[in-house]
Amino acid sequence: VQLQASGGGLVQAGGSLRLSCAASGTIFSIRNMGWYRQSPGRQRELVTSCTSGGCTINADSVKGRFTISRDNAKNKIYLQMNSLKPEDTAVYYCNADLKATSFSSSYRNYWGQGTQVTVSS
């Protein structure tokens, strides 16, 4: 199982980026998928998450600017980031709890490789 994140880059303040994360490999069930971010000197922060019940923006600092969506058929999630600010600069990581097979006893946590988002002022 792999989580492949893409879509990061360099953008000016006020600009937009769209991140994608795809879960691939043998996957039986995904309990939740989401995005974390980490900037230098700071702890990794939960930004958004999606469960079977829906998607939530967890970080107050991005509410009203970021939108998360999920394509269950393709095992993908997307993070649309608008009105970006320099403080959004971070490495963004995709994360998921999933079972590879129906015989798996429990859900396992996976991390993607991270994608750099840099917002210039």
Side-chain angles (χ1 to χ4, degrees), residues 7 9-18 64-66 79-86 88-89 92 117-121:
L10 173 64
V11 64
Q12 288 187 332
S16 298
L17 284 173
R18 187 182 190 227
R65 300 187 296 119
F66 290 12
L79 183 63
Q80 179 66 43
M81 306 184 294
N82 298 327
S83 302
L84 282 161
K85 302 177 181 180
D88 294 318
T89 295
Y92 284 71
V117 171
T118 302
V119 184
S120 63
S121 58

Side-chain angles (χ1 to χ4, degrees), residues 32-89:
N32 57 271
M33 288 183 77
W35 291 97
Y36 286 75
R37 68 182 181 184
Q38 188 169 24
S39 53
R42 302 189 67 176
Q43 288 188 330
R44 193 168 293 190
E45 172 190 28
L46 175 62
V47 180
T48 68
S49 60
C50 288
T51 67
S52 59
C55 296
T56 303
I57 300 293
N58 300 89
D60 290 338
S61 62
V62 307
K63 288 181 179 178
R65 300 187 296 119
F66 290 12
T67 304
I68 186 171
S69 59
R70 182 175 182 176
D71 185 336
N72 291 325
K74 296 182 178 179
N75 293 329
K76 286 186 173 181
I77 57 170
Y78 305 94
L79 183 63
Q80 179 66 43
M81 306 184 294
N82 298 327
S83 302
L84 282 161
K85 302 177 181 180
E87 50 264 43
D88 294 318
T89 295

